[in-house]
Amino acid sequence: MAKAALTFVCQSCGTGFSKWAGRCENCGEWNTIVEEKPLSEGPSKKGLGAQRGQKVKLTDLATTEAAPARAVSGMAELDRVLGGGLVQGSALLVGGDPGIGKSTLLLQAAAAFARGGLKAVYISGEEATAQVRMRAHRLGLAEAPVKLGAETNLRDILTTLEAEKPDLVIIDSIQTMWLDSVDSAPGSVGQVRAAAHELVTFAKRRGIAVILVGHVTKEGQIAGPRVVEHMVDTVLYFEGERGHQFRILRAVKNRFGPAAEIGVFEMTGDGLAEVANPSALFLSDRDKPAPGAVVFAGIEGTRPVLVEFQALVAPTPHANPRRTVVGWDGGRLAMILAVLEARCGIPFAGLDVYLNVAGGMRVAEPAADLAVAAALLSAREDTPLPSETVVFGELSLSGSLRPVAQTENRLKEAQKLGFTTAMVAARSKTGSETGMVVTALDDLAALVGDVFGAG
Ligand code: TYD
Ligand code: MG
């Protein structure tokens, strides 16, 4: 039999190698390459067709399938991010920085689901049951019918779950779980991958929901193998800025609902409180109009959210001026600065530029281009924008503006919060009855000329 060429496989990214190495060239992880024995037979010379397998049942696309059964927690922000509730037989991964509030969120979620009639089990690998119980007391959840366990040995956990037959299992965290059949230390890539695989398989086989908690590395990836993200049905990130009380639960992948949906929470003295109207929260500390501050009417998932962009432009003492961005893409800022310079003749050379999204929110929509450009101009010219104005529109490299989706929803949200005027790209479908005064701009030069009288 010919020797199989790629028998060493990275346990993190799955790349095959012909020889062992300490570090995977593809994903950069250390000590993740292990020898995998080729299947004893190998593919036969005659091809697989010659070996009789089981016949797979094929169906038509038209066959109707019942919608998956969902359990709702009653925490509206959580249920929406899940796509309308927790799907039975699904596996979820909730990632986030240490201390951001994952354990708090999931204990509250477990209690909410348990009160709704689900049999919930919470396994902590990081804290003793006494600690979890203390937190439950603090959260006012001491009476919730949640079963608690402190264990890291996955074999014991699975045996317990087989006997308990819960509807929902929370594993806090996947990095602390270990299998005695896997020959590497707890927390290592091999262990995390194997433990996640066992738990996901268990969820599918038993038709229960499993929620895995995962820590996130400095680079913002879930520590351990990326493959865990592929194994689960739903990946949620719990994020927020230290020093801010807002927490955002963001769906980055969801097989059972829209991705990019967000739920907003506020960390209080007694747990996470839901924030039903995030726009009001993100704009709460606005007083009089200030140069460089511009309100962007964005869409997060399925709902409109208003956030404030703040820009500061100041002469630099350095040869290379600073470009510092928080909450927005640095590359996109560079692009907008270049368009302002090339198409409108407004240079930013010799000026430091700082851009910040207020409230610790992160914006990824290109629809914020116009708001960013307006904030930069406003800061540079030291002229505030007319108050009660929201701004949105996508910028192209030519300096022209493109309309964006859901214009009417954005305008309605702005009006609800007391805004009266809007600056949008020309040809936006504004609808009629929003009651907002809308300025339609063809290109960036129109913004500069009409609004700032600069150029
Ligand atoms: P935790 O849920 O333990 O975070 P994680 O599991 O993501 O590591 O939350 C830890 C932080 O939350 C801690 O700094 C204290 C704070 N906190 C509150 O402010 N209020 C509360 O009611 C609780 C339980 C925690
Ligand atoms: Mg925790």
Side-chain angles (χ1 to χ4, degrees):
M1 193 181 91
K3 194 169 170 292
L6 303 173
T7 53
F8 293 89
V9 177
C10 171
Q11 302 296 297
S12 175
C13 64
T15 310
F17 297 94
S18 58
K19 62 181 188 337
W20 188 87
R23 182 168 188 260
C24 173
E25 279 173 21
N26 184 47
C27 66
E29 293 278 351
W30 287 91
N31 294 326
T32 56
I33 297 180
V34 297
E35 185 169 11
E36 285 190 355
K37 296 267 178 303
L39 293 173
S40 54
E41 293 284 302
S44 113
K45 289 249 166 51
K46 288 183 230 144
L48 274 174
Q51 305 167 1
R52 286 280 167 190
Q54 294 281 326
K55 203 169 164 216
V56 177
K57 186 166 169 274
L58 303 175
T59 61
D60 295 328
L61 281 176
T63 316
T64 48
E65 203 80 51
R70 289 182 189 265
V72 291
S73 64
M75 293 166 76
E77 294 295 302
L78 175 65
D79 291 334
R80 198 188 40 254
V81 174
L82 292 173
L86 193 61
V87 174
Q88 290 299 292
S90 70
L92 292 83
L93 180 64
V94 176
D97 290 323
I100 205 72
K102 299 180 297 296
S103 302
T104 308
L105 174 74
L106 290 169
L107 191 59
Q108 286 184 246
F113 280 117
R115 284 177 171 156
L118 289 197
K119 199 168 168 191
V121 171
Y122 184 103
I123 306 282
S124 178
E126 299 190 337
E127 294 162 298
T129 40
Q131 268 175 294
V132 182
R133 229 180 281 124
M134 245 162 60
R135 180 181 295 131
H137 262 282
R138 182 172 165 185
L139 300 173
L141 303 173
E143 306 303 319
V146 178
K147 286 257 183 283
L148 215 56
E151 184 53 67
T152 56
N153 183 336
L154 199 60
R155 190 182 294 273
D156 295 348
I157 292 173
L158 289 175
T159 307
T160 313
L161 295 179
E162 291 279 3
E164 283 286 325
K165 302 201 184 354
D167 304 305
L168 166 66
V169 179
I170 290 163
I171 302 288
D172 187 5
S173 66
I174 186 66
Q175 274 98 353
T176 57
M177 297 296 139
W178 63 281
L179 272 167
D180 44 20
S181 55
V182 174
D183 188 22
S184 54
S188 66
V189 167
Q191 285 285 6
V192 173
R193 174 175 141 131
H197 179 76
E198 287 295 330
L199 286 161
V200 172
T201 317
F202 182 79
K204 302 285 167 196
R205 202 174 61 232
R206 296 279 160 192
I208 66 172
V210 169
I211 302 180
L212 310 176
V213 175
H215 294 296
V216 162
T217 61
K218 278 207 193 66
E219 297 80 48
Q221 286 178 0
I222 293 183
R226 297 301 314 267
V227 286
V228 174
E229 294 188 25
H230 301 300
M231 277 184 221
V232 295
D233 301 299
T234 302
V235 179
L236 308 178
Y237 275 94
F238 202 43
E239 54 193 34
E241 292 283 322
R242 273 177 205 286
H244 280 295
Q245 73 276 33
F246 318 129
R247 298 286 181 270
I248 292 164
L249 186 66
R250 188 185 294 273
V252 294
K253 161 183 170 178
N254 196 351
R255 284 190 190 139
F256 302 111
E261 189 66 83
I262 65 165
V264 184
F265 297 87
E266 189 177 355
M267 184 59 101
T268 68
D270 35 36
L272 290 157
E274 294 178 60
V275 176
N277 189 347
S279 301
L281 188 71
F282 290 129
L283 299 178
S284 58
D285 45 5
R286 262 170 67 81
D287 33 23
K288 60 183 193 330
V294 169
V295 176
F296 165 59
I299 300 282
E300 289 289 339
T302 52
R303 88 182 142 167
V305 176
L306 303 193
V307 288
E308 185 180 84
F309 274 91
Q310 303 166 337
L312 175 67
V313 175
T316 181
H318 306 294
N320 290 319
R322 291 185 73 116
R323 306 288 184 241
T324 304
V325 196
V326 179
W328 168 253
D329 179 40
R332 201 99 194 159
L333 172 68
M335 184 196 103
I336 292 168
L337 290 172
V339 174
L340 277 169
E341 175 147 9
R343 306 297 175 198
C344 308
I346 299 177
F348 282 83
L351 296 170
D352 283 338
V353 174
Y354 301 88
L355 184 75
N356 177 39
V357 182
M361 180 71 183
R362 225 158 27 86
V363 177
E365 268 192 292
D369 290 352
L370 185 58
V372 172
L376 293 171
L377 276 172
S378 164
R380 191 180 183 282
E381 305 299 318
D382 202 25
T383 314
L385 227 62
S387 60
E388 319 310 347
T389 302
V390 294
V391 181
F392 55 90
E394 188 181 338
L395 192 60
S396 71
L397 289 180
S398 68
S400 66
L401 288 168
R402 280 191 223 125
V404 296
Q406 304 206 42
T407 296
E408 207 168 332
N409 279 344
R410 297 174 201 259
L411 291 176
K412 274 187 190 147
E413 174 79 0
Q415 196 195 22
K416 214 163 73 189
L417 283 141
F419 289 83
T420 53
T421 56
M423 275 193 256
V424 305
R427 301 183 307 281
S428 295
K429 294 195 189 70
T430 51
S432 45
E433 71 282 20
T434 50
M436 300 273 289
V437 179
V438 176
T439 310
L441 302 170
D442 277 313
D443 52 22
L444 210 49
L447 176 76
V448 178
D450 290 8
V451 183
F452 295 100

